[in-house]
Amino acid sequence: MTEFDIKRGYYSKIEGDKLGALMNDIFGNMVVEGDVFVSTYGAMARIEAKVISKTQMGLMTVNVDDVSKLTDDQILDSKRKLNEFLQTATGFSAKDRMNRAKKKAKEGTL
């Protein structure tokens, strides 16, 4: 599971069942398995998200078995939806998330 930082003040938007509601709004379906919210969308056969702490969220995706059956537009749409979900949940854009990950890797805390 990949951990993403949550921007200050964004925890209140995903605490409790709000993360599940956000998944339901963006991906159109969501089920709860323990403390993990699970969904599917396009090229992603399984999307798991959970709040780890007030400052971190965990996310794991599993792609469909045969991606060759999907069009490029379907794959791009899946990536865009995932980025929309992450930006809404964490408050950081894709570029910000990448820069934070690079900084952590450089510091050796990743």
Side-chain angles (χ1 to χ4, degrees):
M1 187 167 278
T2 306
E3 295 178 2
F4 294 95
D5 292 336
I6 298 172
K7 196 175 205 177
R8 186 177 192 161
Y10 271 74
Y11 175 72
S12 62
K13 296 179 181 186
I14 62 170
E15 68 182 328
D17 291 336
K18 292 178 185 176
L19 182 62
L22 178 63
M23 281 186 92
N24 200 30
D25 289 345
I26 293 177
F27 300 121
N29 56 34
M30 186 274 305
V31 294
V32 179
E33 295 179 4
D35 64 343
V36 178
F37 299 100
V38 180
S39 186
T40 61
Y41 188 84
M44 297 172 286
R46 186 171 175 91
I47 308 161
E48 296 181 6
K50 76 178 214 173
V51 176
I52 297 171
S53 69
K54 285 187 173 190
T55 60
Q56 287 196 323
M57 181 188 103
L59 181 85
M60 185 181 81
T61 61
V62 177
N63 292 335
V64 294
D65 290 334
D66 194 6
V67 181
S68 63
K69 292 182 180 178
L70 299 171
T71 66
D72 289 344
D73 288 337
Q74 290 172 316
I75 295 169
L76 285 172
D77 181 53
S78 299
K79 186 65 175 171
R80 286 184 184 117
K81 284 287 188 178
L82 183 62
N83 279 331
E84 177 187 346
F85 171 72
L86 283 170
Q87 183 163 354
T88 306
T90 65
F92 291 112
S93 67
K95 185 176 181 179
D96 293 335
R97 291 190 305 271
M98 181 186 67
N99 288 338
R100 290 178 80 82
K102 282 182 181 179
K103 183 179 176 188
K104 282 184 176 183
K106 190 174 183 180
E107 294 170 352
T109 59
L110 186 62

